[in-house]
Amino acid sequence: MGPPPLFFYCFSLFVLLTSAEISNKIGINYGQLGNNLPSPYDSIQLIRSMKAGRVKIYGTNPEILKLLSGTKLQVSIMVPNNEIINIASQQTIADQWVQNNVLAYYPQTMIRIILVGNEVLSYSSPSDNEIWQHLVPAMRRIKTSLRAQNIRNIKVGTPLAMDIFQTTFPPSSGIFRSDISDSVMIPLLQFLNKTSSFFFIDVYPYFPWSANPTKTGLDYALFRATSDYIDPVSGLIYTNMLDQMLDSVVFAMGRLGFSNIRIAISETGWPSAGDVDEVGANAYNAATYNRNLIKRMTAKPALGTPARPGSIIPTFIFSLYDENQKTGRGTERHWGLLHPNGRPIYDVDMTGKRPLSDYKPLPAAHNNEPYKGNVWCVVASNEVDLMELSRALTYACGVGNETCTALTPGRECYEPVSVFRHASFAFSSYWSQFQSKGGSCYFNGLAQQTTINPSRGLCKFPSVAL
Ligand SMILES: *[C@@H]1O[C@H](CO)[C@@H](O)[C@H](O)[C@H]1NC(C)=O
Ligand SMILES: *[C@@H]1O[C@H](CO)[C@@H](O)[C@H](O)[C@H]1NC(C)=O
């Protein structure tokens, strides 16, 4: 037998190139909002040992980008929200950004995605919509800079959250919010279509499930449902919530005339812990979600979704570490695959090759039903900074009605005179007054919820009844 004909090599090369562009390797989001995380060097070693195919960072940290040089990791970098308006305003500013944050590392660092902003179209602050109109112009500027450098293997996109939708259920009714549909979504889809980029979506079945936590809903969210859902309009058959959410994106794009833009998951995951009243946040569910997710997304041939069978969906899991400086509910600090010391919270094989039956059994889930009972808000650990704690104590006592009256000398909670004990009382008293109005048991990480009643003797700690 002679050598294969020339077209064989051409064809192989073609397959190699396209598969490199949209490989089904699983990515990881590497966030750094923690004051106890391993160094970038150690983090990249961990990411490599976990066999992730890609890494996504929230910015352009020079140390990380240098360290990624020469690794096989494909890299996604991000333009911060607060640079979008500037970049949109002038091509030279975009050129400079690309010079400093791409050309300084590329091609040794395999930058393959530039995400412009993070969840720019969500309503997180009232001034946000000033940026909206600059989003697509900024993306065009960045793309123009890349073209001028003859760089063709970097996609430009923007990760959006599910709150860009007016309707997502049933999936066939997917429709973008009316306040962004014409002004932002159409130009965005035109850009993504023209540049063969991806629609990046942050998609978390955890949120719709936890808002309405039924047992069958949990199985559906964790990819282990025993019954299907049939979309009454499209007739498509769904076996899990993720597919349903992804297809609402497909239908919403289709409604605006774009039926070919590929989808990538810029974030997904499941929290391994959270506040007492955050249902279903546990290691069992988190491991189940992420393992099943990886199995699906790495399947060969690709599974796709009911509306897009066979399509490859590049996926980034959120996230590498539990990050203790993220604000908000307890779950916010527990999306990691790893503890801050680098040890796994639960085992997960990012290649998807390990059979699910090979994993060691996990501790049973204890909070898959909403907690009912009293909850107190106390100092999170013995290792908190004393100065910060006394500042938080003063703050809590300064708001609400008689929040700390019981702590004054001679009153029932004065003894023992300890900042920890007093702060725990003040946090509970504060939270019991403000929980229903949106107040949180957080205090910059100093506080956490507990179901163990800290009251002693005559000193009764106020609580929230769930
Ligand atoms: C999307 O891009 C394709 C290929 O360039 C083009 O033929 C099509 O008209 C575009 N779709 C829209 C709605 O602009
Ligand atoms: C404090 O008490 C007053 C009068 O009873 C009430 O109007 C006010 O809303 C209370 N404030 C808080 C924060 O509960």
Side-chain angles (χ1 to χ4, degrees):
M1 244 171 66
L6 182 63
F7 75 81
F8 175 86
Y9 294 108
C10 296
F11 179 72
S12 310
L13 184 66
F14 171 75
V15 169
L16 216 82
L17 287 174
T18 41
S19 61
E21 189 202 328
I22 41 165
S23 85
N24 60 358
K25 291 220 174 84
I26 297 291
I28 186 92
N29 279 279
Y30 172 18
Q32 294 186 287
L33 296 177
N35 60 10
N36 53 359
L37 300 180
S39 69
Y41 179 87
D42 289 340
S43 299
I44 289 162
Q45 297 307 318
L46 284 165
I47 292 169
R48 294 173 70 181
S49 71
M50 292 162 85
K51 300 203 172 70
R54 311 162 202 258
V55 57
K56 170 167 163 263
I57 60 174
Y58 292 81
T60 56
N61 183 307
E63 188 184 359
I64 296 177
L65 290 177
K66 260 187 231 122
L67 286 164
L68 284 167
S69 162
T71 71
K72 293 206 177 76
L73 286 160
Q74 300 199 359
V75 182
S76 172
I77 60 174
M78 190 176 278
V79 175
N81 288 1
N82 62 11
E83 292 184 37
I84 289 174
I85 294 181
N86 221 5
I87 286 174
S89 72
Q90 267 189 54
Q91 190 57 44
T92 51
I93 298 178
D95 292 347
Q96 196 60 55
W97 195 91
V98 167
Q99 183 70 44
N100 296 346
N101 300 295
V102 180
L103 299 178
Y105 313 102
Y106 176 96
Q108 292 78 9
T109 297
M110 290 170 50
I111 298 173
R112 291 292 177 271
I113 300 169
I114 300 177
L115 296 176
V116 178
N118 197 29
E119 302 189 348
V120 169
L121 302 178
S122 300
Y123 285 113
S124 44
S125 83
S127 64
D128 272 355
N129 58 8
E130 279 175 40
I131 305 182
W132 295 359
Q133 57 185 304
H134 300 284
L135 175 62
V136 180
M139 294 171 75
R140 287 196 204 106
R141 295 275 196 216
I142 297 285
K143 189 70 190 174
T144 303
S145 307
L146 294 173
R147 275 211 196 94
Q149 299 293 336
N150 221 5
I151 296 176
R152 313 245 163 227
N153 63 352
I154 298 183
K155 298 290 182 202
V156 177
T158 186
L160 301 172
M162 288 299 287
D163 63 359
I164 56 168
F165 291 99
Q166 196 155 300
T167 318
T168 56
F169 186 83
S172 60
S173 72
I175 181 163
F176 295 114
R177 268 180 7 226
S178 58
D179 62 328
I180 52 172
S181 184
D182 291 354
S183 56
V184 192
M185 295 314 298
I186 289 180
L188 174 63
L189 297 175
Q190 278 165 345
F191 172 85
L192 297 177
N193 186 52
K194 208 166 105 195
T195 59
S196 308
S197 185
F198 291 82
F199 190 100
F200 288 89
I201 184 83
D202 293 348
V203 57
Y204 290 98
Y206 173 73
F207 291 121
W209 172 73
S210 61
N212 180 21
T214 63
K215 167 79 180 79
T216 47
L218 182 61
D219 290 337
Y220 197 63
L222 297 178
F223 307 96
R224 58 177 195 200
T226 49
S227 61
D228 302 334
Y229 168 73
I230 301 178
D231 185 313
V233 178
S234 67
L236 294 172
I237 300 167
Y238 289 90
T239 60
N240 66 79
M241 195 169 323
L242 181 73
D243 278 355
Q244 224 178 270
M245 295 169 86
L246 292 173
D247 274 0
S248 62
V249 182
V250 171
F251 280 97
M253 293 195 294
R255 195 158 269 127
L256 296 180
F258 296 88
S259 40
N260 293 318
I261 298 172
R262 293 171 296 178
I263 293 181
I265 299 177
S266 32
E267 290 184 4
T268 190
W270 196 282
S272 67
D275 289 336
V276 172
D277 61 340
E278 290 187 295
V279 66
N282 56 60
Y284 188 95
N285 293 349
T288 307
Y289 180 85
N290 282 322
R291 290 171 187 173
N292 286 334
L293 170 85
I294 294 168
K295 268 261 172 286
R296 283 190 75 78
M297 294 308 180
T298 55
K300 278 183 190 160
L303 296 173
T305 66
R308 292 261 181 95
S311 62
I312 293 177
I313 306 169
T315 299
F316 291 88
I317 292 179
F318 189 84
S319 75
L320 183 59
Y321 298 117
D322 274 359
E323 293 168 75
N324 69 356
Q325 291 177 316
K326 294 197 75 187
T327 59
R329 305 301 314 271
T331 44
E332 282 299 309
R333 294 172 285 288
H334 295 283
W335 290 95
L337 300 182
L338 305 180
H339 291 288
N341 63 10
R343 283 216 212 93
I345 297 172
Y346 46 85
D347 280 339
V348 34
D349 165 36
M350 298 193 74
T351 66
K353 295 209 176 94
R354 184 164 169 185
L356 295 175
S357 54
D358 261 22
Y359 290 102
K360 277 184 292 193
L362 291 155
H366 54 86
N367 61 352
N368 283 346
E369 276 162 37
Y371 174 81
K372 287 216 182 332
N374 291 341
V375 185
W376 291 264
C377 179
V378 297
V379 177
S381 86
N382 292 329
E383 285 155 40
V384 299
D385 182 292
L386 266 183
M387 287 300 290
E388 275 184 50
L389 191 60
S390 47
R391 271 197 294 275
L393 168 61
T394 309
Y395 167 79
C397 291
V399 287
N401 282 342
E402 315 231 344
T403 304
C404 294
T405 310
L407 295 177
T408 50
R411 293 293 300 264
E412 61 275 22
C413 295
Y414 178 63
E415 310 249 2
V417 187
S418 126
V419 183
F420 285 90
R421 181 97 182 137
H422 279 201
S424 286
F425 181 92
F427 291 167
S428 288
S429 182
Y430 166 94
W431 194 50
S432 71
Q433 295 176 68
F434 293 106
Q435 187 263 355
S436 61
K437 301 177 183 80
S440 63
C441 172
Y442 178 56
F443 293 94
N444 214 9
L446 298 170
Q448 71 178 19
Q449 299 180 13
T450 177
T451 54
I452 301 163
N453 188 349
S455 305
R456 269 188 234 152
L458 290 176
C459 174
K460 301 278 181 262
F461 279 47
S463 66
V464 169
L466 295 176

